[in-house]
Amino acid sequence: MNSREWDQADPLIFEVWVLEELRKAGFRVAMTPLSGDGGVDGIGLAPAGSAIPAVLVQCKHVQGGRTLGPAAVREALAGLGRYELPAGTLAMVVTNAPNFSSTALAEARRGGARLVGRDDLVRLRELARSLLRGDVQVNEGG
């Protein structure tokens, strides 16, 4: 997908695309239920020997180039306690929004969440591979 397609896509199609990129990077992915998921859209289990055991994904598809606020980060971090995931699981927020608010950035730093914004979407698969290898620090980018 390209930036125009991301913006025009149905939010569910965006979620499916994000999880497919993680699958292609090496994660074993599962989409959470469409409702009652606590804001978590998917979970990716890493192969044995990876730098992280799993990633919990919160996708946010926005319209009109809006800045993404802290609610999505809070939901992703809260999801770590909602699901039975191994210690060290990374919360990740993936969005087509061009920017994150300063509060969202601060929440991510405080909670150890990885933010993937519009500019990083084109390299999402490589970013996911880097997370598996341990090449990327949690608060880089976003």
Side-chain angles (χ1 to χ4, degrees):
M1 291 180 92
N2 61 43
S3 59
R4 184 176 170 185
E5 292 170 322
W6 292 319
D7 292 342
Q8 294 175 348
D10 179 272
L12 182 59
I13 298 298
F14 182 69
E15 289 175 21
V16 169
W17 178 82
V18 167
L19 295 176
E20 181 63 12
E21 289 298 294
L22 294 179
R23 186 194 65 73
K24 289 177 181 177
F27 286 91
R28 196 171 74 236
V29 298
M31 184 175 261
T32 58
L34 294 178
S35 62
D37 61 9
V40 175
D41 297 309
I43 296 169
L45 299 176
S50 296
I52 60 171
V55 65
L56 178 143
V57 183
Q58 162 69 295
C59 298
K60 281 298 178 188
H61 184 272
V62 300
Q63 297 293 326
R66 290 188 358 234
T67 296
L68 194 69
V73 178
R74 290 182 190 131
E75 289 175 353
L77 291 169
L80 291 172
R82 181 181 180 95
Y83 293 88
E84 293 182 24
L85 297 167
T89 295
L90 176 67
M92 182 164 53
V93 177
V94 182
T95 183
N96 68 319
N99 301 298
F100 292 93
S101 71
S102 59
T103 309
L105 292 168
E107 293 272 347
R109 275 191 297 277
R110 193 169 24 261
R114 179 66 164 94
L115 303 180
V116 179
R118 179 183 198 86
D119 291 343
D120 289 328
L121 288 176
V122 295
R123 61 184 200 96
L124 178 59
R125 190 181 316 169
E126 182 50 40
L127 172 63
R129 287 182 182 137
S130 295
L131 290 170
L132 290 172
R133 292 188 307 263
D135 294 345
V136 175
Q137 295 300 312
V138 171
N139 292 321
E140 278 183 32

